[in-house]
Amino acid sequence: MCGIVGYVGKQDATEVLMNGLARLEYRGYDSAGIAVFENETIKVAKSKGRLADLAEKMKQEGKPSGHAGIGHTRWATHGEPSDVNSHPHGGGTVTIVHNGIIENYKVLKDFLIKKGRVFESETDTEVVAQLLDYYYVENHGNPVEAIVKTLKDLEGSYALGVIFADFPDRVFALRKESPLIVGIGEGENFIASDVTAILQYTKKYYLLEAGEIAVLSKQGAAVYDLHYQKVQKELKIADWDVSEAEKGGYAHYMLKEIHEQPESIRKTITPRIENGLPNLEECGITPEKLLTFRKIHVVACGTAMHAGMVGKYVIEKLAKVSVNVDIASEFRYREPLVGEGDLVIIISQSGETADSLEALRLSKKLGAKTLAIVNAKGSSIARETDMLIYTHAGPEIAVASTKAYMVQIAVMYLFAFELALAKGQIDETECRRLTSVLQETPEKIAEILANKEKAQMIASELITADSLLYIGRGLDYALSMEGSLKLKEISYIHSESYAAGELKHGTISLITENMPVIAVATQRNLFEKTISNIKEVKARGAKVILVSRADYQPEKDVADMQFILPDEEDLLMPMTAVVPLQLIAYYTAVLKGTDVDKPRNLAKSVTVE
Ligand code: F6R
């Protein structure tokens, strides 16, 4: 989704803004722009396309030069991607960048047109710029008053970076729903959609809350509430390092992040293990509290929802507690049967996914307790949940989630072990044993990563396919969902995941020699069943790629290609088995020449529903 940066200080603002926007590229965008004070005049440069297109345009038409400004990467919502619709947008003396959606923009636009205002673009953002200017003029040039009045009129979600032509040394910012932070430097200050945009300049930041207005100058950043009172903000220090948000010699962020998985697991689980047993007390989870939950719901989107699917199998098997897994956009509009005595687990890498955030709010309203598993520190979901487990994957830049999924499932395992122990479904010895098996997974993943050429060979067999099927049973089905999503989102090859036993009920009619099947068979008790399903598709001409374990081998010729996994306990298999699926997706995309880290039409952080 859209990315925002703002800067005021001593450095070349254009350079700082462009660097910041480059760090936000991963969020997904289709156009970009900046507005910089050149002496006392606001100079705007914007362009449809990538940041490189904007840089090229500035090379030809002149680069704004100054020490204060705002920048934006746009992911189109109102109005197609075009130069005109790109941000920044102006209205009189006001220039703004915006992330979010203004739901009542039509009413506001009609009001402004009646007041004689003329619009250049189709965007809801221009309406906000014009409204700000309208109130600015009405309030005799007081920017904060104009912002407060505007804010009261706006319905929807927004993070806004604002500059006023009459205040060339100031950047203003406000937000509701959409994220925005204020970065605090030495003689320079920033605004940004997330910390990755400013890490190379400062690690200090404030989290801006809804109803707060930040006023930045070179000297400092003041935050006011709607009654013009100064708010004392807590200074946060980012524990992410700038190198974590860089490629570090890898061809793509996705490949780097796949390789970071062993370390991400260690960082996430080690602080939550004490004397060989899970201990989630610092996250607000105690054995006594766990005993109060009758039912568990996991609500999330995309890959995070797939992590929830793994969690369901593991929790139900070990702790014997019923788990529903829901897609957040369905859950929030379905009048879900959730209430007191229920635990709702929200999983989210960004902590800003609009549907997941609303699902969390709805669950709280219905009387359920909420537990969030979140990677981005200080994000909205992290702030609003009752209990919180941070995953420590560090910044995930590639749009396709890999290491965040890995730590989400690692946390689901720890949670399931602790719950099963609390419920008396496993004893301490078994809990200790399972925990130690989980602790060994990083080495096993490293072993797989050392043999990634096999995934490359498999990928070379897939690139000519128009469509693919992933099949599996039980935990392998949950994994198939993730494998299939990963492949289609970055390689653009159509693919579906299917419960292997369900094929015969319709889908098998799709099988031809042109539809490869990736079968995941890591579960010993289901192995023969899955092999039977593989034989069924093989008999109908499909090329079969089998991801399975070393100690269970099918007869010769059942699979055309095989990825053999190191030995592992069945229950923990998803931790290792997802790695070849990620690698196969990655190499297929590379061989197809797609934009691996920033696949078309996708955004990393989906802050609109
Ligand atoms: C796919 C992917 C998405 C996200 C989904 C939820 O690779 O990354 O499906 O998992 O958009 O995002 P978060 O986890 O930020 O809530």
Side-chain angles (χ1 to χ4, degrees), residues 89 109 126 139-140 151 161 187 199 201 270 274 303 344 368 370 403 406 447 449 478 489 494 500 535 544 549 596 605:
H89 286 285
K109 192 169 183 173
E126 195 187 351
N139 284 289
H140 313 293
L151 201 149
L199 275 181
Y201 305 108
T270 311
E274 215 176 280
T303 285
V344 177
T370 55
K403 61 176 180 172
M406 182 64 85
E447 207 180 305
L449 291 171
E489 70 176 319
H494 170 252
K535 287 180 182 164
V544 174
R549 50 192 309 135
V596 176
S605 176

Side-chain angles (χ1 to χ4, degrees), residues 206-261:
Y206 299 146
L207 291 168
L208 200 62
E209 302 293 345
E212 291 179 347
I213 299 151
V215 184
L216 278 67
S217 66
K218 223 167 27 178
Q219 291 78 23
V223 177
Y224 299 92
D225 65 15
L226 297 183
H227 308 288
Y228 314 105
Q229 297 299 309
K230 224 169 169 182
V231 181
Q232 278 309 318
K233 298 295 293 180
E234 185 193 341
L235 192 68
K236 308 255 178 198
I237 311 287
D239 58 2
W240 288 354
D241 195 76
V242 68
S243 65
E244 288 185 89
E246 283 169 351
K247 276 193 212 151
Y250 287 93
H252 297 96
Y253 283 111
M254 182 177 175
L255 188 60
K256 174 180 175 245
E257 288 161 6
I258 290 173
H259 278 83
E260 284 171 345
Q261 294 184 114

Side-chain angles (χ1 to χ4, degrees), residues 300-306 347-354 356 373 381 396 398-402 404 408 482 485-486 489 602-606:
C301 301
T303 285
M305 189 273 288
H306 297 159
I347 309 179
S348 176
Q349 187 286 127
S350 63
E352 298 293 348
T353 301
S356 305
I373 299 172
I381 293 175
E396 189 177 64
V399 165
S401 182
T402 52
Q408 285 160 357
E482 178 53 12
L485 176 63
K486 217 81 311 174
E489 70 176 319
L602 284 174
K604 180 74 182 161
S605 176
V606 184

Side-chain angles (χ1 to χ4, degrees), residues 319-482:
K320 312 288 179 222
V321 179
S322 165
V323 181
N324 276 341
V325 180
D326 255 299
I327 295 168
S329 55
E330 289 294 313
F331 177 88
R332 60 181 286 202
Y333 292 117
R334 206 193 54 223
E335 299 186 20
L337 298 177
V338 170
E340 252 174 71
D342 288 354
L343 173 67
V344 177
I345 303 179
I346 306 282
I347 309 179
S348 176
Q349 187 286 127
S350 63
E352 298 293 348
T353 301
D355 286 318
S356 305
L357 178 59
E358 285 308 322
L360 173 103
R361 289 175 179 162
L362 175 64
S363 305
K364 287 177 84 168
K365 211 153 89 192
L366 293 171
K369 284 276 171 258
T370 55
L371 161 65
I373 299 172
V374 171
N375 194 46
K377 311 277 151 61
S379 55
S380 302
I381 293 175
R383 283 189 273 168
E384 293 191 28
T385 182
D386 299 318
M387 292 162 274
L388 169 67
I389 307 181
Y390 273 128
T391 51
H392 298 305
E396 189 177 64
I397 306 293
V399 165
S401 182
T402 52
K403 61 176 180 172
Y405 169 86
M406 182 64 85
V407 288
Q408 285 160 357
I409 61 174
V411 164
M412 289 309 274
Y413 280 105
L414 274 186
F415 176 83
F417 299 165
E418 175 146 3
L419 181 64
L421 181 63
K423 294 252 173 201
Q425 294 293 340
I426 56 171
D427 61 17
E428 212 177 283
T429 315
E430 177 62 357
C431 191
R432 226 177 264 287
R433 189 188 70 76
L434 286 168
T435 308
S436 108
V437 177
L438 179 65
Q439 284 176 291
E440 284 159 17
T441 53
E443 284 99 84
K444 292 191 176 147
I445 293 168
E447 207 180 305
I448 296 171
L449 291 171
N451 293 303
K452 54 183 185 287
E453 295 70 29
K454 186 77 198 183
Q456 223 163 346
M457 279 164 62
I458 293 171
S460 65
E461 293 293 317
L462 300 180
I463 49 170
T464 51
D466 293 325
S467 198
L468 249 125
L469 216 56
Y470 281 73
I471 60 168
R473 288 171 177 259
L475 277 168
D476 292 331
Y477 173 45
L479 267 182
S480 300
M481 290 179 168
E482 178 53 12

Side-chain angles (χ1 to χ4, degrees), residues 418-588:
E418 175 146 3
L419 181 64
L421 181 63
K423 294 252 173 201
Q425 294 293 340
I426 56 171
D427 61 17
E428 212 177 283
T429 315
E430 177 62 357
C431 191
R432 226 177 264 287
R433 189 188 70 76
L434 286 168
T435 308
S436 108
V437 177
L438 179 65
Q439 284 176 291
E440 284 159 17
T441 53
E443 284 99 84
K444 292 191 176 147
I445 293 168
E447 207 180 305
I448 296 171
L449 291 171
N451 293 303
K452 54 183 185 287
E453 295 70 29
K454 186 77 198 183
Q456 223 163 346
M457 279 164 62
I458 293 171
S460 65
E461 293 293 317
L462 300 180
I463 49 170
T464 51
D466 293 325
S467 198
L468 249 125
L469 216 56
Y470 281 73
I471 60 168
R473 288 171 177 259
L475 277 168
D476 292 331
Y477 173 45
L479 267 182
S480 300
M481 290 179 168
E482 178 53 12
S484 170
L485 176 63
K486 217 81 311 174
L487 183 97
K488 70 181 139 198
E489 70 176 319
I490 58 170
S491 74
Y492 313 150
I493 298 176
H494 170 252
S495 113
E496 296 298 331
S497 54
Y498 247 82
E502 185 67 9
L503 279 182
K504 284 199 277 293
H505 301 285
T507 315
I508 201 161
S509 67
L510 290 173
I511 298 290
T512 65
E513 57 280 11
N514 297 323
M515 185 185 257
V517 174
I518 300 192
V520 188
T522 69
Q523 302 296 299
R524 276 176 272 227
N525 62 332
L526 295 167
F527 187 76
E528 288 308 330
K529 302 266 176 225
T530 308
I531 295 300
S532 300
N533 299 130
I534 294 175
K535 287 180 182 164
E536 287 159 9
V537 294
K538 189 97 183 93
R540 284 153 184 92
K543 182 184 283 175
V544 174
I545 289 131
L546 177 64
V547 177
S548 63
R549 50 192 309 135
D551 54 351
Y552 267 59
Q553 289 301 314
E555 309 122 58
K556 196 173 164 311
D557 296 337
V558 164
D560 296 278
M561 294 184 94
Q562 229 181 317
F563 196 108
I564 298 176
L565 296 159
D567 195 23
E568 177 60 283
E569 174 123 0
D570 283 25
L571 197 68
L572 273 296
M573 259 296 177
M575 297 282 295
T576 46
V578 73
V579 180
L581 301 182
Q582 296 167 339
L583 289 168
I584 289 168
Y586 171 75
Y587 285 117
T588 307

